[in-house]
């Protein structure tokens, strides 16, 4: 899926939501030490930048060098462009040693991964017994009742044929995604835990956000323009009905969090894992 985001890397960095402080406060409260975090599928570093304020060191990886070009340069964040498949030997050489990572995060990307193999590698790098994995997604944005009704029709009908089937895991708020980990301290389940991100946007910025979708790029490759003039006009009428140009757009965030032990004995050195882009 990485190629779907190459052409709109700049739009992605400009219009994708940042994540709320409450999300990172929750994750930090569940990790006993804050020495090393690994942000997988970092994109342009939205999550890595926040983790850098909590952890001594952050490793942020992605398969897209183009996306990484737009990531914030911070002294305690090491960005690494990884291949689509990576062996255990490469994982240890380029990312981290066995049982050395306090936290693994995956923001808006877990649904693209080869989950069984990825989870084996996560359990190999996490510290025992309190290493934490935190994976979250955000679902369709919310503006107001009038605009949302128009936008949801566009999302569920116009764009639906161009989303990858993995998108259904996001629409399901990661409730049905495979997540074989123990609950974090203080809970008897792994989520999803609910948060909300907010961003002040103009209508044109909202259109740019739509253009950053993988579905938008897929449609373009098939010769279909999702944001046709008539579609844009309908969305514009709904957006401007209240006379307010810039609006607070809310992105519901859904977090799965758990603790994982070490599986070194069950993971061979030739195991491979996909690290696609969100």
């Amino acid at each position: 899926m990485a190629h779907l985001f190459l052409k709109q890397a700049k739009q992605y960095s400009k219009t994708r939501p940042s994540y709320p402080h409450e999300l990172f406060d929750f994750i930090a409260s569940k990790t006993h030490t804050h020495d090393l975090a690994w942000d997988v599928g970092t994109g342009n570093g939205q999550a890595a930048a926040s983790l850098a304020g909590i952890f001594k060191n952050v490793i942020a990886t992605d398969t897209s060098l183009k996306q990484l070009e737009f990531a914030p340069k911070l002294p305690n964040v090491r960005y690494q462009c990884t291949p689509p498949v990576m062996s255990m030997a490469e994982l240890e050489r380029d990312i981290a040693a066995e049982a050395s990572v306090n936290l693994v995060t995956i923001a808006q990307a877990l649904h693209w991964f080869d989950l069984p193999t990825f989870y084996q590698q996560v359990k190999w790098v996490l510290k025992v017994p309190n290493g934490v994995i935190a994976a979250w997604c955000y679902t369709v944005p919310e503006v107001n009742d009038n605009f949302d009704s128009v936008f949801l029709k566009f999302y569920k009908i116009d764009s639906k044929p161009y989303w990858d089937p993995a998108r259904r895991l996001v629409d399901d708020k990661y409730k049905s995604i495979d997540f074989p980990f123990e609950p974090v301290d203080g809970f008897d389940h792994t989520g999803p835990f609910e948060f909300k991100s907010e961003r002040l946007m103009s209508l044109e910025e909202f259109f740019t956000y739509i253009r950053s979708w993988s579905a938008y790029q897929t449609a373009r490759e098939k010769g279909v323009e999702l944001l046709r003039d008539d579609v844009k006009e309908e969305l514009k009428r709904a957006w401007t009905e209240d006379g307010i140009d810039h609006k607070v757009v809310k992105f519901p965030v859904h977090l799965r969090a758990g603790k994982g032990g070490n599986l070194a004995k069950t993971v061979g050195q030739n195991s491979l894992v996909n690290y696609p882009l969100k």
Side-chain angles (χ1 to χ4, degrees), residues 108-260:
Q108 196 70 2
L110 188 64
H111 48 287
W112 300 131
F113 287 11
D114 171 7
L115 292 180
T117 310
F118 175 63
Y119 286 153
Q120 286 181 320
Q121 295 197 344
V122 167
K123 292 179 179 182
W124 189 84
V125 299
L126 281 178
K127 284 192 172 182
V128 181
N130 295 310
V132 170
I133 175 173
W136 63 90
C137 65
Y138 52 86
T139 45
V140 291
E142 303 167 351
V143 179
N144 57 46
D145 290 344
N146 185 51
F147 182 82
D148 292 352
S149 63
V150 176
F151 174 69
L152 282 174
K153 183 179 69 173
F154 168 75
Y155 174 73
K156 292 181 177 180
I157 298 175
D158 294 37
S159 73
K160 184 177 180 179
Y162 306 103
W163 287 106
D164 187 273
R167 177 71 187 186
R168 64 177 175 78
L169 295 170
V170 175
D171 291 334
D172 192 42
K173 306 174 184 179
Y174 275 3
K175 290 178 183 177
S176 59
I177 201 165
D178 182 36
F179 199 75
F181 297 91
E182 295 296 319
V184 293
D185 294 347
F187 290 90
D188 60 2
H189 62 89
T190 61
F193 304 97
E194 306 296 327
F195 299 89
K196 193 156 283 191
S197 177
E198 296 184 352
R199 185 181 184 120
L200 188 65
M201 302 178 78
S202 67
L203 178 60
E204 190 52 47
E205 288 172 327
F206 196 88
F207 286 157
T208 302
Y209 156 73
I210 292 173
R211 294 186 186 102
S212 76
W213 289 356
S214 61
Y216 182 85
Q217 182 61 34
T218 297
R220 288 290 298 272
E221 290 177 353
K222 295 179 181 296
V224 175
E225 174 54 61
L226 288 178
L227 286 176
R228 305 183 313 268
D229 288 345
D230 61 313
V231 172
K232 291 173 67 176
E233 186 58 35
E234 185 177 13
L235 289 168
K236 181 179 179 180
R237 282 196 299 269
W239 184 278
T240 59
E241 185 180 61
D242 60 5
I244 301 173
D245 181 40
H246 284 72
K247 291 179 168 55
V248 174
V249 180
K250 299 176 181 179
F251 293 83
V253 177
H254 313 279
L255 167 71
R256 298 294 301 272
K259 294 194 298 184

